[in-house]
Amino acid sequence: MPDARTSPSGRDGLEYHQLFRAGRQPVAAWSLLGALAVAVLFLVVNVVVVVSVFTVWFAATGTPADEVTDKVARLADTDPVTPGVLLFVNLVIVLAIPGTWLCVRAFQGLAPRWLTSVRPRVRWRWLAASFGVSLFALVLTIVLGSLLPASGDTGTVSGELNDFTATSRDFLLVIVLLTPLQAIAEEYVFRGYLTQAFGGLVADLRVSRAVAVLAPAVLFALAHGTQDFPVFVDRLAFGISAGILVIATGGLEAGIAYHVVNNLLAFGITLAVGDMTTVLTPEGGSWWDVALTVLKSVIFVGLSIWVARRMGVQTRVSREGLAELARPGARV
């Protein structure tokens, strides 16, 4: 097995998706165990914690004891989606951020900052540039999308401006305050921990890249619940694009920017002229929507890689980083 100074290809440095190979050994056992722990935290523990918080809140604010259980149960009912439901879902997802940090320290023996990038930290200049590229790509895609045939009536957009009500205000508060964190959390789970967990399983560099991109992308699409095939493919394409960017740019920044801008735009448009229930739990999709997502992804991935190269964004661990990874005491 390669040590922390070389990649499986023999080149100096480790790519982002290979970093778990410098953690606890045997890497496969610890990676799979950690991935299972992330899933349990994401799907079970986080739900229990948020349910407990809401239960205490309802009881503390005077809700009768016999109504508390019903009010908590309604938070998990996405038909219809209310501000409370959106708040509940976002809080469950946001708790995954500290969950992934805990798992990388406990199962890989590495500092949590190695999930962010090969630096290892947030590269703020690159993050800012990624937001700019995301906005440009989305605006360009909207313009090009107007030239495509209509995607059909999916019920997402009504064409008329919705009235701004107290419910709209509450939705807006949740979207502004928590949607960016929700997108960041999903990146830490799927393009962070799971990318490194699956990428570290295979020694061959090309195979490990493919596994590191495709496996988390499939899980990302499946994690969105019941959906028809075009919607699944749409989300799969999003996951593949973000996964490619993680490896090509050496960190989560581009995927985070892409995800945050995409979600804010989607929820913002829906709040203005659509239905929040339909956008959060779509029952049907169109292949034209998939084509538009693929077009958006190709534009964003291409532009991001070009800008990253122009900026000299680091894509492998530096010599200083390799030295830190090679010191067992420095890992924790």
Side-chain angles (χ1 to χ4, degrees):
M1 180 179 293
D3 62 25
R5 293 170 295 177
T6 59
S7 70
S9 66
R11 294 175 59 187
D12 289 339
L14 289 172
E15 292 186 357
Y16 177 87
H17 68 291
Q18 302 168 309
L19 292 182
F20 281 6
R21 297 184 72 80
R24 290 199 173 105
Q25 306 299 321
V27 62
W30 285 109
S31 293
L32 293 176
L33 188 60
L36 178 61
V38 167
V40 171
L41 286 171
F42 192 64
L43 300 174
V44 180
V45 176
N46 291 0
V47 175
V48 172
V49 170
V50 176
V51 165
S52 299
V53 170
F54 272 97
T55 300
V56 172
W57 170 258
F58 289 142
T61 54
T63 302
D66 58 343
E67 296 181 14
V68 169
T69 301
D70 290 338
K71 294 191 71 170
V72 171
R74 284 199 294 270
L75 293 173
D77 185 0
T78 56
D79 187 18
V81 172
T82 64
V85 170
L86 187 61
L87 175 63
F88 175 83
V89 171
N90 279 351
L91 287 175
V92 168
I93 296 173
V94 168
L95 283 180
I97 298 176
T100 57
W101 293 345
L102 174 65
C103 287
V104 77
R105 184 179 291 277
F107 294 97
Q108 278 67 48
L110 298 173
R113 61 181 181 274
W114 287 105
L115 280 181
T116 303
S117 78
V118 295
R119 286 290 290 174
R121 59 177 176 79
V122 177
R123 298 167 294 182
W124 295 105
R125 184 166 169 263
W126 170 232
L127 179 63
S130 296
F131 273 108
V133 175
S134 299
L135 287 169
F136 178 81
L138 285 173
V139 170
L140 182 59
T141 304
I142 290 172
V143 173
L144 295 176
S146 66
L147 304 177
L148 293 176
S151 60
D153 182 16
T154 63
T156 303
V157 177
S158 66
E160 298 180 359
L161 192 64
N162 293 331
D163 294 331
F164 189 82
T165 63
T167 300
S168 304
R169 177 203 61 206
D170 294 343
F171 269 129
L172 183 61
L173 287 173
V174 175
I175 292 169
V176 171
L177 295 177
L178 287 180
T179 292
L181 292 175
Q182 167 258 317
I184 292 170
E186 291 186 7
E187 291 306 304
Y188 267 99
V189 171
F190 295 100
R191 260 66 68 179
Y193 196 93
L194 293 182
T195 290
Q196 293 187 352
F198 285 110
L201 297 178
V202 184
D204 183 85
L205 182 60
R206 292 184 178 179
V207 176
S208 70
R209 285 172 176 168
V211 173
V213 170
L214 293 176
V218 171
L219 293 176
F220 173 75
L222 292 174
H224 284 80
T226 304
Q227 52 199 308
D228 67 2
F229 194 58
V231 175
F232 173 83
V233 173
D234 184 88
R235 286 162 173 167
L236 179 66
F238 184 99
I240 290 174
S241 302
I244 291 172
L245 282 173
V246 167
I247 296 175
T249 64
L252 297 179
E253 295 93 344
I256 285 173
Y258 187 40
H259 206 153
V260 169
V261 171
N262 183 81
N263 284 13
L264 285 176
L265 182 65
F267 281 127
I269 291 175
T270 301
L271 186 60
V273 294
D275 175 66
M276 198 63 68
T277 298
T278 304
V279 76
L280 193 65
T281 56
E283 296 179 354
S286 163
W287 287 110
W288 287 114
D289 295 330
V290 175
L292 197 58
T293 295
V294 172
L295 176 63
K296 176 177 62 179
S297 299
V298 169
I299 292 172
F300 180 68
V301 170
L303 283 175
S304 294
I305 293 175
W306 179 76
V307 172
R309 289 176 178 174
R310 292 292 299 269
M311 293 178 63
V313 172
Q314 183 177 322
T315 61
R316 288 172 178 261
V317 180
S318 66
R319 288 190 176 185
E320 294 79 6
L322 289 172
E324 179 180 347
L325 281 169
R327 294 196 304 269
R331 295 178 188 171
V332 295

